[in-house]
Amino acid sequence: MATTEQSNDTVIAEAFMQTAAASALAGVRIGHGGPFGASIVREGVVIACAHNMVLHHCDPTRHAEMNAIKQACESIGSHDLSDCELYTTCEPCPMCWGAVQWSRLGKVYLGVDRDTAAKYGFDDKIFYDEVGEKAGAYGLSRYGYIKDTSELADGKVKAEPKRVHKNMVEIYDGVLQEGTASLFTNPLVNRTFRRRFASASGERLSEAFKEMFDGSPKAGEIRRPMLPPPAQMDQHESFMKLAVAAAEKGARTGKSKEREPFGAVIVKDGKVIAEAHNTVLHSRDATATAEVNVIRSAAAALGTHNLEGCDLYTTSHPDLMSLGAVLWARISHVYCGVTQQLAAQCGFEDGLLHFKDLLESEGKGGRSNGNVEVVEGISKDECEAVFKEWSDRNGIIY
C-alpha cells in the first residue's frame, strides 16, 4: 500500500511531466518535429521546458532532451545539472542518454518507453543493437519508417508505418593517428593529462589507466581496425589536419573544460562544410561536444537535418551522445584519429564509460545504470496521447 509521501511524490512527478507533455503537444501542433517533450526541474522549479525541433531548425540534434539540457545549462550558467531532474515524455534515444550522462543529471522520469514509440514509427532499437557492436571499426545501420498508404473499403486512406533502410555509416580508424595521438599525450595541450599523470604518482596512475582501458582484443576476439584505402589516405589526412587544428584552437582559447583535444570537420563532395571543437565550458552547454557542434553547423550551412553524403573527420571516436548524433544526421562515413580507449588512457574515460553503462546496465536501454536514478511510467496516458495526435496528423518521421 502506497504511503502518503509516495502518493505526494507521484502527484508532483505527474505535474512536472504534464509540462513536458504540453510542450510536446504544442510542438506537434506547430509542426516543429516529433512527438517528444522534456522539462528540467531544479529545487521544485521548472528551469527548462522544450520539445523536439528537428524539422523546425533543420538540425538532427534538436531532440527534446537535448534542447531542454541546453536550455537548462544556459539558465543556471553551468554545464553541470547534477542538482536537477529530467522529465521526458518518452525513453531517450542513445544520443539523449549520452547527454543525460554528460550533464550529470541525477534523476530521470519517463513517460512511455521505446516500445510505445516504436508503435508509432519511432524505432530506436537498431541504435541500441548497433552500439553493442562497437569495436575498433564498425558499421551502423540506420533504419526508419515511411508511411505506407492503402485505401480502405469506405474510400478512406490508411497510413501504416513501413520500415525502410536509410543508410550505413562506415567508421574508419587511424587517420593521421600519430599526429592526432600527440594531442592527447602532450601535457602542454591536454591539461587533463598533465593534471592527472604528470607527477611521479601520476605515472603509476597512468599505467593503471592503460591497463584498465586496454583496447587489445580479448581471448578469442578478433578486432581489426578498419583503415581507409591507402590511395585516399593523403586526402583523408589533409582533412584530419583541419580537425586537429580545430582541436588545437579550442585548447588554445580555453573554450573547453580543460583544453580537451577534440576537434571535428564535416566534408561534402571534397569541400569542408563546417569545423568545430568542444565548447562545453565556453557555451555552458553539456551537449556541446566537437561532433555535435560540427553537425549543428553543417546542418545550418546546408539547411537540412539530413547530412547523408557527408563525411565526418574527428580526432577521437565519437562518444555515445555524439555517435547518436551521427546516426540521426545520417552521415555516411566517419574518420577517426584515435579510439575511445586511447582517449580514456589519456584522462577522458567518461566517453567510454557512457558506452559501458548503456551496454551493461540492467533493464532496457541502460535505464538503471547506477549513475542515474530512473522512474518509469509517469503520466503514460497523457504522453502516449501526444503520439496519437501526431499520428492522426500524419506526422513526419525524419
mmCIF file of all heavy atoms in Angstrom, residues 71 74 77 84 93 106 134 163 166 177 193 232 242 260 262 272 281 307-308 327 335 375:
data_model
loop_
_atom_site.group_PDB
_atom_site.id
_atom_site.type_symbol
_atom_site.label_atom_id
_atom_site.label_comp_id
_atom_site.label_asym_id
_atom_site.label_seq_id
_atom_site.Cartn_x
_atom_site.Cartn_y
_atom_site.Cartn_z
ATOM 1 N N GLN A 71 19.032 24.300 -22.748
ATOM 2 C CA GLN A 71 18.304 25.422 -22.166
ATOM 3 C C GLN A 71 18.567 25.539 -20.667
ATOM 4 O O GLN A 71 18.769 26.638 -20.136
ATOM 5 C CB GLN A 71 16.811 25.220 -22.442
ATOM 6 C CG GLN A 71 15.914 26.394 -22.121
ATOM 7 C CD GLN A 71 14.466 26.057 -22.404
ATOM 8 O OE1 GLN A 71 13.637 25.965 -21.487
ATOM 9 N NE2 GLN A 71 14.123 25.841 -23.666
ATOM 10 N N GLU A 74 22.024 26.927 -19.936
ATOM 11 C CA GLU A 74 22.024 28.378 -20.136
ATOM 12 C C GLU A 74 21.335 29.082 -18.966
ATOM 13 O O GLU A 74 21.765 30.154 -18.529
ATOM 14 C CB GLU A 74 21.316 28.719 -21.448
ATOM 15 C CG GLU A 74 22.066 28.251 -22.684
ATOM 16 C CD GLU A 74 21.246 28.396 -23.959
ATOM 17 O OE1 GLU A 74 20.040 28.736 -23.859
ATOM 18 O OE2 GLU A 74 21.802 28.170 -25.048
ATOM 19 N N GLY A 77 23.743 28.767 -15.990
ATOM 20 C CA GLY A 77 25.110 29.175 -16.300
ATOM 21 C C GLY A 77 26.151 28.127 -16.009
ATOM 22 O O GLY A 77 27.281 28.441 -15.620
ATOM 23 N N CYS A 84 19.647 18.697 -10.672
ATOM 24 C CA CYS A 84 18.407 18.837 -11.424
ATOM 25 C C CYS A 84 17.804 17.470 -11.748
ATOM 26 O O CYS A 84 18.472 16.445 -11.654
ATOM 27 C CB CYS A 84 18.658 19.596 -12.736
ATOM 28 S SG CYS A 84 19.322 21.259 -12.525
ATOM 29 N N CYS A 93 16.626 8.282 -26.646
ATOM 30 C CA CYS A 93 17.473 7.509 -27.550
ATOM 31 C C CYS A 93 18.900 7.521 -26.996
ATOM 32 O O CYS A 93 19.203 8.268 -26.054
ATOM 33 C CB CYS A 93 17.432 8.119 -28.952
ATOM 34 S SG CYS A 93 18.251 9.734 -29.072
ATOM 35 N N GLY A 106 20.938 13.650 -12.139
ATOM 36 C CA GLY A 106 20.907 12.559 -11.170
ATOM 37 C C GLY A 106 19.656 11.713 -11.207
ATOM 38 O O GLY A 106 19.656 10.579 -10.724
ATOM 39 N N LYS A 134 29.990 -2.141 -31.006
ATOM 40 C CA LYS A 134 31.121 -1.225 -31.105
ATOM 41 C C LYS A 134 32.445 -1.967 -30.934
ATOM 42 O O LYS A 134 32.622 -2.735 -30.024
ATOM 43 C CB LYS A 134 30.999 -0.135 -30.050
ATOM 44 C CG LYS A 134 31.993 0.990 -30.261
ATOM 45 C CD LYS A 134 31.716 2.083 -29.265
ATOM 46 C CE LYS A 134 32.562 3.313 -29.534
ATOM 47 N NZ LYS A 134 33.877 3.106 -30.038
ATOM 48 N N ARG A 163 8.916 -0.088 -42.323
ATOM 49 C CA ARG A 163 10.333 0.078 -42.006
ATOM 50 C C ARG A 163 11.175 0.058 -43.274
ATOM 51 O O ARG A 163 10.995 -0.792 -44.134
ATOM 52 C CB ARG A 163 10.796 -1.036 -41.064
ATOM 53 C CG ARG A 163 12.118 -0.694 -40.366
ATOM 54 C CD ARG A 163 12.461 -1.726 -39.337
ATOM 55 N NE ARG A 163 13.426 -1.189 -38.388
ATOM 56 C CZ ARG A 163 14.082 -1.930 -37.510
ATOM 57 N NH1 ARG A 163 13.866 -3.215 -37.450
ATOM 58 N NH2 ARG A 163 14.937 -1.389 -36.680
ATOM 59 N N LYS A 166 17.793 3.238 -44.169
ATOM 60 C CA LYS A 166 18.102 4.609 -44.567
ATOM 61 C C LYS A 166 19.563 4.793 -44.970
ATOM 62 O O LYS A 166 19.849 5.478 -45.933
ATOM 63 C CB LYS A 166 17.729 5.577 -43.445
ATOM 64 C CG LYS A 166 16.216 5.735 -43.297
ATOM 65 C CD LYS A 166 15.874 6.881 -42.382
ATOM 66 C CE LYS A 166 14.358 7.120 -42.384
ATOM 67 N NZ LYS A 166 13.966 8.214 -41.494
ATOM 68 N N GLN A 177 47.047 9.048 -37.284
ATOM 69 C CA GLN A 177 46.995 8.549 -35.915
ATOM 70 C C GLN A 177 48.090 9.124 -35.029
ATOM 71 O O GLN A 177 47.834 9.557 -33.901
ATOM 72 C CB GLN A 177 47.076 7.023 -35.920
ATOM 73 C CG GLN A 177 46.935 6.409 -34.527
ATOM 74 C CD GLN A 177 46.800 4.905 -34.581
ATOM 75 O OE1 GLN A 177 46.858 4.301 -35.654
ATOM 76 N NE2 GLN A 177 46.613 4.278 -33.454
ATOM 77 N N PHE A 193 45.509 15.493 -18.992
ATOM 78 C CA PHE A 193 46.633 14.558 -18.939
ATOM 79 C C PHE A 193 47.704 15.084 -17.978
ATOM 80 O O PHE A 193 48.237 14.345 -17.152
ATOM 81 C CB PHE A 193 47.217 14.382 -20.345
ATOM 82 C CG PHE A 193 48.283 13.327 -20.439
ATOM 83 C CD1 PHE A 193 47.949 11.999 -20.655
ATOM 84 C CD2 PHE A 193 49.626 13.662 -20.307
ATOM 85 C CE1 PHE A 193 48.932 11.024 -20.744
ATOM 86 C CE2 PHE A 193 50.618 12.698 -20.388
ATOM 87 C CZ PHE A 193 50.264 11.367 -20.612
ATOM 88 N N GLN A 232 43.648 6.829 -50.895
ATOM 89 C CA GLN A 232 42.923 8.038 -50.492
ATOM 90 C C GLN A 232 43.441 8.621 -49.177
ATOM 91 O O GLN A 232 42.909 9.611 -48.691
ATOM 92 C CB GLN A 232 41.436 7.712 -50.348
ATOM 93 C CG GLN A 232 40.789 7.174 -51.611
ATOM 94 C CD GLN A 232 39.360 6.724 -51.370
ATOM 95 O OE1 GLN A 232 38.777 6.992 -50.326
ATOM 96 N NE2 GLN A 232 38.793 6.014 -52.338
ATOM 97 N N LEU A 242 42.800 19.411 -40.419
ATOM 98 C CA LEU A 242 41.893 20.517 -40.103
ATOM 99 C C LEU A 242 41.160 20.248 -38.800
ATOM 100 O O LEU A 242 40.912 21.167 -38.010
ATOM 101 C CB LEU A 242 40.895 20.716 -41.241
ATOM 102 C CG LEU A 242 41.483 21.134 -42.594
ATOM 103 C CD1 LEU A 242 40.376 21.245 -43.638
ATOM 104 C CD2 LEU A 242 42.223 22.463 -42.464
ATOM 105 N N GLU A 260 40.461 20.226 -23.768
ATOM 106 C CA GLU A 260 40.299 18.916 -24.385
ATOM 107 C C GLU A 260 40.673 18.937 -25.858
ATOM 108 O O GLU A 260 40.298 19.859 -26.588
ATOM 109 C CB GLU A 260 38.843 18.431 -24.246
ATOM 110 C CG GLU A 260 38.470 17.973 -22.867
ATOM 111 C CD GLU A 260 37.880 19.084 -22.011
ATOM 112 O OE1 GLU A 260 38.069 20.254 -22.376
ATOM 113 O OE2 GLU A 260 37.276 18.774 -20.994
ATOM 114 N N PHE A 262 39.646 17.764 -28.647
ATOM 115 C CA PHE A 262 38.613 17.218 -29.523
ATOM 116 C C PHE A 262 38.224 18.246 -30.581
ATOM 117 O O PHE A 262 37.812 19.363 -30.256
ATOM 118 C CB PHE A 262 37.373 16.816 -28.708
ATOM 119 C CG PHE A 262 37.654 15.765 -27.675
ATOM 120 C CD1 PHE A 262 37.764 16.106 -26.333
ATOM 121 C CD2 PHE A 262 37.839 14.445 -28.053
ATOM 122 C CE1 PHE A 262 38.034 15.132 -25.377
ATOM 123 C CE2 PHE A 262 38.115 13.466 -27.102
ATOM 124 C CZ PHE A 262 38.218 13.813 -25.768
ATOM 125 N N VAL A 272 34.970 21.383 -47.368
ATOM 126 C CA VAL A 272 34.701 21.491 -45.935
ATOM 127 C C VAL A 272 33.446 22.332 -45.722
ATOM 128 O O VAL A 272 33.387 23.497 -46.120
ATOM 129 C CB VAL A 272 35.895 22.104 -45.182
ATOM 130 C CG1 VAL A 272 35.540 22.313 -43.712
ATOM 131 C CG2 VAL A 272 37.121 21.205 -45.301
ATOM 132 N N LEU A 281 32.616 24.323 -21.871
ATOM 133 C CA LEU A 281 32.858 25.364 -20.867
ATOM 134 C C LEU A 281 32.434 26.731 -21.383
ATOM 135 O O LEU A 281 31.725 27.478 -20.710
ATOM 136 C CB LEU A 281 34.335 25.389 -20.480
ATOM 137 C CG LEU A 281 34.707 26.436 -19.416
ATOM 138 C CD1 LEU A 281 34.040 26.120 -18.095
ATOM 139 C CD2 LEU A 281 36.220 26.507 -19.233
ATOM 140 N N LEU A 307 22.174 14.814 -43.361
ATOM 141 C CA LEU A 307 23.548 15.026 -43.826
ATOM 142 C C LEU A 307 24.089 13.804 -44.563
ATOM 143 O O LEU A 307 25.302 13.576 -44.614
ATOM 144 C CB LEU A 307 24.464 15.368 -42.640
ATOM 145 C CG LEU A 307 24.092 16.618 -41.838
ATOM 146 C CD1 LEU A 307 25.133 16.904 -40.770
ATOM 147 C CD2 LEU A 307 23.894 17.827 -42.735
ATOM 148 N N GLU A 308 23.182 13.030 -45.153
ATOM 149 C CA GLU A 308 23.614 11.890 -45.952
ATOM 150 C C GLU A 308 24.494 12.388 -47.096
ATOM 151 O O GLU A 308 24.194 13.394 -47.742
ATOM 152 C CB GLU A 308 22.392 11.152 -46.513
ATOM 153 C CG GLU A 308 22.718 9.784 -47.059
ATOM 154 C CD GLU A 308 21.463 8.955 -47.285
ATOM 155 O OE1 GLU A 308 20.358 9.448 -46.975
ATOM 156 O OE2 GLU A 308 21.605 7.813 -47.756
ATOM 157 N N LEU A 327 24.305 9.173 -36.190
ATOM 158 C CA LEU A 327 23.270 8.307 -36.746
ATOM 159 C C LEU A 327 22.037 9.101 -37.154
ATOM 160 O O LEU A 327 21.492 8.907 -38.239
ATOM 161 C CB LEU A 327 22.894 7.233 -35.734
ATOM 162 C CG LEU A 327 23.905 6.105 -35.555
ATOM 163 C CD1 LEU A 327 23.552 5.275 -34.330
ATOM 164 C CD2 LEU A 327 23.969 5.231 -36.784
ATOM 165 N N TYR A 335 35.732 9.305 -40.027
ATOM 166 C CA TYR A 335 37.165 9.012 -39.997
ATOM 167 C C TYR A 335 37.721 9.524 -38.664
ATOM 168 O O TYR A 335 37.567 10.699 -38.321
ATOM 169 C CB TYR A 335 37.873 9.681 -41.171
ATOM 170 C CG TYR A 335 37.364 9.209 -42.520
ATOM 171 C CD1 TYR A 335 36.342 9.883 -43.182
ATOM 172 C CD2 TYR A 335 37.887 8.060 -43.122
ATOM 173 C CE1 TYR A 335 35.861 9.441 -44.405
ATOM 174 C CE2 TYR A 335 37.411 7.607 -44.341
ATOM 175 C CZ TYR A 335 36.397 8.303 -44.975
ATOM 176 O OH TYR A 335 35.908 7.855 -46.188
ATOM 177 N N VAL A 375 12.762 6.735 -12.946
ATOM 178 C CA VAL A 375 11.395 6.417 -12.541
ATOM 179 C C VAL A 375 10.552 6.340 -13.808
ATOM 180 O O VAL A 375 10.506 7.299 -14.585
ATOM 181 C CB VAL A 375 10.825 7.481 -11.589
ATOM 182 C CG1 VAL A 375 9.402 7.108 -11.175
ATOM 183 C CG2 VAL A 375 11.717 7.637 -10.364
#
